[in-house]
Amino acid sequence: MTISPTALIDQNTSGLRIGLFGGTFDPPHVGHLVTAVNVMHALDLDQVILMVANVPWQKEGSRTITPAQDRFAMVEAAVASTPGLVAGDAEIRMGGPSYTVDTLRSLRQQNAEYASATFFTIVGDDAAAGVPTWERFEELTELTRLVVVDRPGAPVELSSDIDWIRVEVPRLDVSSTDLRSRFTDGRPLDYLITQPVLEVIRERSLYSSPIGAQT
Ligand code: ATP
Ligand code: MG
């Protein structure tokens, strides 16, 4: 059933309201951050966890992925100054391929506050299209509500059998793919990626980064 954000806010549930926003974050950019804070506000969430995928199974084999610990360091830097945003390393600690259903189970088991929390799994339009193919999808829908946000491109309508909502966020046509090519060809990164993230990239020499011009 499709329900409105207002209905979700009004729900009288005890326990924390946690957003789970998974991604490769290679690198994290303003599109991720603007999405996270706007969904947090719209759904009155206590926290949004930007969960760094260990092995993003959808992307395996298609390109070289930056090591998980480096992606986690970038996400930590990205969220450090924003109350409510948290960098998640549960998938890295679990190892192996990152399936959201396992992540939710692990979070609930390992943290008493999460055990009684209501989870909202946040996905962009593009990722939403593939959600029904996610590992153990039926089980997943019992553990979390799905939140779909706009991303430039064709909007996706999920089946009405699924408990999902759409939250409006500013549409920013920013992607990690474009950012990686900007590192390669020297186009500006300013305002697309935050300064603390650029510092991690420089310190760790990620993306073969000649980023002096932007810093
Ligand atoms: P890549 O280009 O490497 O796929 P990406 O920019 O899509 O990177 P991901 O780490 O793949 O970033 O995405 C993580 C989540 O963030 C996905 O649910 C994706 O739809 C969402 N997302 C990414 N960029 C945006 C954006 N600009 N606006 C809204 N959602 C976004
Ligand atoms: Mg993507």
Side-chain angles (χ1 to χ4, degrees):
M1 185 181 68
T2 307
I3 39 180
S4 74
T6 319
L8 281 176
I9 289 169
D10 290 347
Q11 270 180 353
N12 190 16
T13 52
S14 58
L16 294 178
R17 296 165 63 81
I18 307 292
L20 178 63
F21 189 27
T24 313
F25 302 114
D26 192 8
H29 53 68
V30 293
H32 297 130
L33 298 171
V34 167
T35 296
V37 294
N38 280 277
V39 174
M40 183 161 66
H41 176 80
L43 300 183
D44 197 21
L45 304 182
D46 297 289
Q47 198 177 79
V48 174
I49 307 169
L50 280 77
M51 183 62 69
V52 180
N54 183 44
V55 180
W57 52 273
Q58 298 99 327
K59 291 181 181 174
E60 240 186 336
S62 55
R63 66 173 175 85
T64 306
I65 294 163
T66 302
Q69 290 297 350
D70 291 328
R71 289 183 285 113
F72 180 70
M74 288 189 281
V75 173
E76 269 195 312
V79 300
S81 62
T82 309
L85 298 192
V86 177
D89 65 353
E91 295 186 354
I92 298 173
R93 282 190 282 103
M94 280 191 293
S98 304
Y99 299 127
T100 305
V101 64
D102 296 328
T103 310
L104 287 161
R105 287 216 176 283
S106 152
L107 287 172
R108 281 189 189 282
Q109 278 163 14
Q110 281 165 24
N111 181 325
E113 285 203 304
Y114 291 159
S116 58
T118 305
F119 276 91
F120 299 84
T121 298
I122 304 162
V123 287
D125 269 329
D126 58 320
V131 165
T133 70
W134 284 8
E135 185 80 2
R136 282 165 280 143
F137 175 68
E138 291 294 325
E139 189 183 337
L140 179 74
T141 58
E142 287 163 19
L143 295 172
T144 182
R145 292 164 185 278
L146 286 175
V147 178
V148 179
V149 297
D150 287 333
R151 193 176 179 183
V156 174
E157 289 295 319
L158 286 176
S159 158
S160 58
D161 297 338
I162 301 167
D163 180 9
W164 71 281
I165 54 165
R166 179 177 295 281
V167 172
E168 294 294 324
V169 301
R171 285 172 174 244
L172 299 177
D173 194 357
V174 184
S175 71
S176 301
T177 300
D178 177 59
L179 285 166
R180 290 191 300 275
S181 66
R182 283 171 181 267
F183 280 108
T184 308
D185 62 27
R187 278 176 298 146
L189 297 150
D190 309 68
Y191 309 112
L192 298 172
I193 189 166
T194 64
Q195 200 63 30
V197 175
L198 282 174
E199 276 158 28
V200 172
I201 290 169
R202 191 176 42 210
E203 280 162 16
R204 297 184 176 224
S205 305
L206 307 177
Y207 310 112
S208 316
S209 47
I211 55 176
Q214 280 76 37
T215 57

